[in-house]
Amino acid sequence: FAANEAASLDAAIGRVAAEAITPYPPGIPAIMPGERLTAGIVALLRAALDNGTPVSAADPQLKTVKVVT
């Protein structure tokens, strides 16, 4: 419930997520609100998108992600 803003995926590295981001399958969140987005998680999310895996997020294409301000 913290104040948040949209940031590009690259700019979000090192910042705290303000939303859950979940690739389907497996349907297990890769990141939850309050967790820090790492380069490894961003790489995993990019790989999921590149492979055509649907992603549940405020922006399903992950052009931006919500991060805590």
Side-chain angles (χ1 to χ4, degrees):
F1 299 110
N4 62 75
E5 65 185 2
S8 71
L9 204 51
D10 287 329
I13 295 172
R15 297 191 61 189
V16 176
E19 67 174 318
I21 304 174
T22 308
Y24 287 94
I28 299 168
I31 192 84
M32 289 293 291
E35 294 182 322
R36 193 164 304 275
L37 285 146
T38 65
I41 290 173
V42 167
L44 177 136
L45 293 170
R46 280 204 175 105
L49 287 175
D50 290 346
N51 288 315
T53 301
V55 175
S56 174
D59 174 6
Q61 297 303 310
L62 298 182
K63 303 265 188 247
T64 62
V65 295
K66 289 184 179 182
V67 293
V68 175
T69 56

